[in-house]
Amino acid sequence: MPLLADDSLLNDDDLRRWRACERRFWLHRRVAIDRPGPAAIEVRADLTGEAAVVCGPQPGDALRATFPGAVVIDAPTTPTGWQAAVQHTSDCLRDKRMQAEGRALFGACLVSDDGVQVRIDVLARGEHGLRMFKVRHATVGDEADVDDVALWVHVAARCGLRLESVGLLLVDTDFVYPGHGCYAGLFREVDLSPVLGSRPVARWLVDMRTCDRGSEPAAESGAKCRLHGGCDFVDHCRAQAPLAAQTGIDSAGPAQLEIVGREQAVDLRREGHADLYSVPPERLADARHRRAVRATQQGAPILEPAVAALMRAHPYPRHTLRFDTIGFAVPVWSGTQPYQVLPFQWTCDVEPAPGERVRHAFLADRYGDPRRAFALTLLQALGRSGPVFAYNAGFERNRIRELAQHFEDLSEALEALLPRVVDLFQIARTHYYHPAMRGSWSFKSVFRSIAPELDATRFDCAGETSSQAAFAHYLQPGLDATTRERLRQALRLHGERQIEALHRMVAMFERADSGSAPVA
C-alpha cells in the first residue's frame, strides 16, 4: 500500500509482514521509505496468494453485480493521491445518496489518529450502519484475512464510523454462471464478528512501532520465510543467518532425510543420521527409497535397465500429450462454475513410426467456451489406436472423463481414449531417480533433471509467469492485437517445450539398457 507523506504510518501490509516475521517487517520499512538500514538488499516482487489467483478477465464485474451502483475510489499510488482518496472517501460517506440501504463504496481509504492507513474493499450501507467486507477470490479465508479486517475495524472505529457487520466475501463454488454478465450470487458472506475479539490490534500497533524503532532483529529462518508468497529478504537473511539455521530458509536439500518420508526421517534422526549420506540403502524397505539413497550418495542419477523393455513394448503409432487448463474464480463462459477445471490448450506429437514425428496442437480462441472444439480436435489427433504418453496422467484422464460427461455425443469416443493413456509418472517413480529432484516427483522437478536446458516449466511473456495467467490476459477485452498474438505464440511454445521434455524422457527410458543412460 502506498505511503503518505508521514512515513510513520502503518498499514495492513505492514501488519501481515510483522505477524509473519518481525525482521521482515523491519527490513521492508527501511527499503520502502529509504531510511538507514542494511545496504544493497535486493527485493523481489511480492507474490501473494491472492495475486496468484486467476480471477478472470473482468473480476470487477462480479463485485459490481453484487453491489449495483457502487462508487469506486481508485487505488492511490502517490502520497498526494492518498490524501485525495481519503478526502473522496469522506465526501462519499457524507453524501446523502450513500445513506440509502445497499449503497456501497469500493476501496474506501481511511487514516486513523493513531497513524494507520487502510484501503477497505467494500463498505456498504446497512439498516443500522455500515457493512464492511474483505473480498477474496477464494473459497475460504485465512488467519491473515481476519488480521486485515481487525485492523480495518480498528481504523474505522477511530474514524468514527458505525459498523453494523464485518465479514469476508468468498466465492460460492455452487454458483453456475448463466452468462451475459449476471454474477449476482457469486459471493457468499462469512461473518467475522465472533473472532475479531481475539485480535489485540491496539497492542499489536504498539509492538510494531517498538520493533520499527529498534535495532535489526536477528535472522531466524523457518516456515515463516515462505509465508504470503515468500519473503523479499531471503537472500539477505541467508547471508547473515548461522549456517546451522539456514535449513529453514531452503530445507529441500538434495540429501534431506524427508526424501524417504517424514515418519521415516524421524526414525532415522533417532538413529543418529543427519542426512541420507550416512543411511545404508538396505536399511530402507521401499525400493524407490533405496534408489533415491543410492543416487544421492553417488551424486548421479539412477535408471533401472528394466524400463527399456517396458517402453519398447509400446507399439506405434505413439502419441505424447500435454494439457493446459484454467480454473477461473469468476467464471467466463456460461454454464461453468468458479474454479471448475477447464481445458484450453493441448499439445500432441504423433509418431507414426520410429524416427517420424508430426506435431498437432489446439489453443482456444477468445470467442466462447472452448471445450467442444478442444474435444473434437483431440479425438482427431489421437486417432483410434496407439499409446498416449502423459506425465501424471490422472490429470489428463480426468479432463477427458469430464469432457465425455459434458458432451453426450462424444462420450463413447472420449471414453475409448482412457485405456490408451500411459502414465510416465508411474514409470519414472518405479525406475528413475536424480539427486536434483530432491525428493519431488513434480513435472518441474523431474524434467529439470532430465532436460534442464529446455526449461520446460518456465513461462515469461507480457509480464505473465504461468500459462494460466497468460491465457487469462489473452482473454481480456480491449487487449491490443500485438500483445494478444505474443501471448498466443508464447502459449504454443510453452506446450511444445513440455512435449519435447516428455520425448526426452521416453527416449532416455528406451536407452536404459544400452549403456548410454545412467543405470543402477
Side-chain angles (χ1 to χ4, degrees):
M1 182 176 289
L3 292 166
L4 284 172
D6 182 356
D7 63 20
S8 66
L9 288 172
L10 298 173
N11 57 52
D12 39 16
D13 288 339
D14 286 327
L15 176 61
R16 188 169 291 211
R17 293 185 187 95
W18 180 78
R19 290 273 281 162
C21 173
E22 291 186 6
R23 177 181 174 84
R24 183 176 182 176
F25 162 75
W26 190 93
L27 289 170
H28 191 277
R29 291 282 290 174
R30 274 138 189 84
V31 171
I33 60 183
D34 197 27
R35 293 192 299 187
I41 301 177
E42 293 187 5
V43 183
R44 65 172 178 79
D46 186 24
L47 297 177
T48 66
E50 190 77 5
V53 173
V54 179
C55 297
Q58 292 180 297
D61 289 354
L63 198 57
R64 284 188 287 270
T66 305
F67 299 97
V71 176
V72 179
I73 307 292
D74 293 334
T77 58
T78 64
T80 302
W82 254 98
Q83 292 166 359
V86 170
Q87 184 61 52
H88 189 186
T89 299
S90 177
D91 294 342
C92 288
L93 291 174
R94 289 197 303 267
D95 193 310
K96 290 183 179 180
R97 291 170 292 184
M98 185 64 188
Q99 308 312 309
E101 186 174 352
R103 294 303 298 268
L105 191 60
F106 296 165
C109 295
L110 303 175
V111 177
S112 64
D113 58 1
D114 60 349
V116 184
Q117 61 178 12
V118 295
R119 185 168 186 263
I120 298 168
D121 291 347
V122 179
L123 281 178
R125 180 65 63 183
E127 185 178 358
H128 303 293
L130 292 169
R131 304 169 67 215
M132 176 187 287
F133 295 104
K134 179 171 184 179
V135 180
R136 284 293 311 274
H137 290 92
T139 57
V140 296
D142 58 26
E143 292 298 311
D145 294 323
V146 181
D147 290 351
D148 288 348
V149 173
L151 184 66
W152 294 359
V153 170
H154 171 89
V155 173
R158 302 209 47 126
C159 291
L161 301 187
R162 180 181 179 183
L163 298 179
E164 174 183 308
S165 63
V166 180
L168 296 177
L169 289 180
L170 301 175
V171 172
D172 185 351
T173 54
D174 290 333
F175 173 79
V176 179
Y177 178 47
H180 307 291
C182 298
Y183 288 107
L186 173 68
F187 292 108
R188 61 184 180 90
E189 299 180 12
V190 176
D191 183 19
L192 293 184
S193 301
V195 298
L196 291 182
S198 65
R199 266 57 180 181
V201 175
R203 192 184 75 210
W204 286 350
L205 294 174
V206 171
D207 292 344
M208 288 169 70
R209 294 196 185 283
T210 301
C211 175
D212 192 25
R213 289 192 298 266
S215 58
E216 180 175 351
E220 298 177 355
S221 62
K224 61 186 180 182
C225 301
R226 295 181 291 276
L227 287 175
H228 311 312
C231 180
D232 302 340
F233 305 103
V234 165
D235 291 340
H236 177 73
C237 293
R238 184 181 285 115
Q240 296 203 1
L243 184 62
Q246 290 187 18
T247 54
I249 295 176
D250 184 7
S251 62
Q256 61 168 331
L257 293 174
E258 282 72 18
I259 285 173
V260 296
R262 292 186 179 181
E263 291 185 7
Q264 197 155 224
V266 172
D267 293 338
L268 291 171
R269 284 195 177 90
R270 288 174 181 158
E271 296 170 15
H273 300 286
D275 52 42
L276 294 181
Y277 292 124
S278 62
V279 177
E282 59 272 16
R283 161 68 178 78
L284 306 172
D286 190 302
R288 180 164 53 88
H289 292 159
R290 293 196 297 271
R291 187 180 309 112
V293 170
R294 295 201 314 271
T296 299
Q297 292 177 351
Q298 69 186 33
I302 288 178
L303 180 60
E304 308 289 354
V307 74
L310 177 65
M311 296 304 297
R312 289 198 290 262
H314 290 292
Y316 290 85
R318 293 176 172 182
H319 311 78
T320 309
L321 181 65
R322 187 74 178 167
F323 285 177
D324 278 296
T325 63
I326 197 166
F328 291 116
V330 179
V332 175
W333 301 303
S334 61
T336 62
Q337 295 175 260
Y339 294 107
Q340 182 177 348
V341 181
L342 301 168
F344 67 87
Q345 176 173 240
W346 59 256
T347 310
C348 177
D349 273 8
V350 179
E351 297 178 86
E356 300 178 19
R357 197 193 299 185
V358 181
R359 177 152 296 162
H360 302 268
F362 169 86
L363 175 58
D365 58 31
R366 56 192 177 92
Y367 299 110
D369 187 342
R371 285 177 294 173
R372 186 169 184 85
F374 183 101
L376 288 169
T377 54
L378 181 66
L379 288 169
Q380 184 176 12
L382 295 182
R384 296 179 178 273
S385 64
V388 180
F389 296 124
Y391 191 81
N392 206 359
F395 179 79
E396 277 78 9
R397 289 193 189 105
N398 285 338
R399 305 294 80 76
I400 291 171
R401 287 192 186 98
E402 289 161 1
L403 290 169
Q405 293 168 2
H406 191 69
F407 299 111
E408 185 176 348
D409 59 322
L410 303 178
S411 177
E412 184 176 349
L414 288 167
E415 293 280 358
L417 297 177
L418 298 175
R420 296 167 52 192
V421 178
V422 177
D423 194 351
L424 295 175
F425 166 76
Q426 296 297 340
I427 295 173
R429 275 171 59 93
T430 309
H431 299 88
Y432 177 70
Y433 188 81
H434 194 297
M437 291 161 54
R438 302 188 174 199
S440 171
W441 291 92
S442 69
F443 186 94
K444 179 177 182 178
S445 296
V446 171
F447 290 99
R448 182 173 53 203
S449 72
I450 291 175
E453 73 282 0
L454 289 178
D455 208 2
T457 59
R458 178 185 58 81
F459 195 98
D460 184 12
C461 178
E464 306 298 354
T465 57
S466 72
S467 59
Q468 291 79 16
F471 184 65
H473 189 173
Y474 168 79
L475 292 180
Q476 287 181 358
L479 188 65
D480 64 273
T482 300
T483 301
R484 202 182 303 279
E485 185 56 30
R486 280 179 57 211
L487 289 166
R488 282 191 70 86
Q489 290 298 328
L491 285 164
R492 291 192 186 99
L493 290 173
H494 173 73
E496 291 173 5
R497 284 198 305 273
Q498 296 203 333
I499 287 296
E500 183 59 33
L502 292 174
H503 274 295
R504 300 278 184 93
M505 172 179 274
V506 172
M508 184 181 76
F509 287 176
E510 284 193 302
R511 296 194 309 269
D513 61 356
S514 68
S516 61
V519 296

